[in-house]
Amino acid sequence: MIFICVRFPVKPEYADQWPELTRAFTEGTRAEPGNLFFDWSRNVEDPNEYIVVEGFQDDAAEAHVTSDHFRTAQAELPQYLVRTPKVRNMLIEGDHWDDLGEFTVS
């Protein structure tokens, strides 16, 4: 799986609107063949920062970055950002989430 985490520094005046501003991008990405998950979170220490955690099957990355909804997001979303988002991505084995053994719930 290709595992990606991106930090989006949103301009304060758009922070509350970010989920709606990214809705088409989010829904388009989630509908892609090969998308395993695409989940947004809001930073509890910085409410102007959103973090997306994404997972794709190994062969789905090119289709994602060449999709219409990705290209539209590239063109439209930067106007709402303070600076270029920061990203980490890696190739990991499997296509699932593992249990966190240190916090086992019974």
Side-chain angles (χ1 to χ4, degrees):
M1 160 177 45
I2 301 168
F3 185 85
I4 305 165
C5 185
V6 186
R7 300 172 81 98
F8 286 84
V10 180
K11 291 178 181 175
E13 61 269 29
Y14 298 109
D16 288 339
Q17 300 168 49
W18 187 251
E20 187 58 36
L21 293 169
T22 60
R23 184 170 309 284
F25 177 50
T26 299
E27 290 175 356
T29 301
R30 288 178 177 163
E32 292 175 24
N35 176 260
L36 300 170
F37 50 87
F38 189 86
D39 299 320
W40 288 101
S41 297
R42 194 171 192 177
N43 186 331
V44 296
E45 294 179 4
D46 179 356
N48 299 323
E49 181 180 70
Y50 283 82
I51 300 165
V52 67
V53 179
E54 315 171 47
F56 295 91
Q57 293 171 344
D58 296 356
D59 58 353
E62 184 175 348
H64 174 58
V65 299
T66 59
S67 67
D68 288 341
H69 56 270
F70 188 91
R71 289 187 176 159
T72 298
Q74 280 182 300
E76 294 179 0
L77 295 180
Q79 67 182 312
Y80 305 112
L81 302 175
V82 174
R83 64 185 170 283
T84 302
K86 298 292 186 185
V87 64
R88 293 296 311 210
N89 66 52
M90 62 186 72
L91 189 59
I92 60 176
E93 291 191 30
D95 62 358
H96 60 280
W97 288 87
D98 297 314
D99 288 340
L100 180 61
E102 295 83 0
F103 286 86
T104 300
V105 177
S106 49

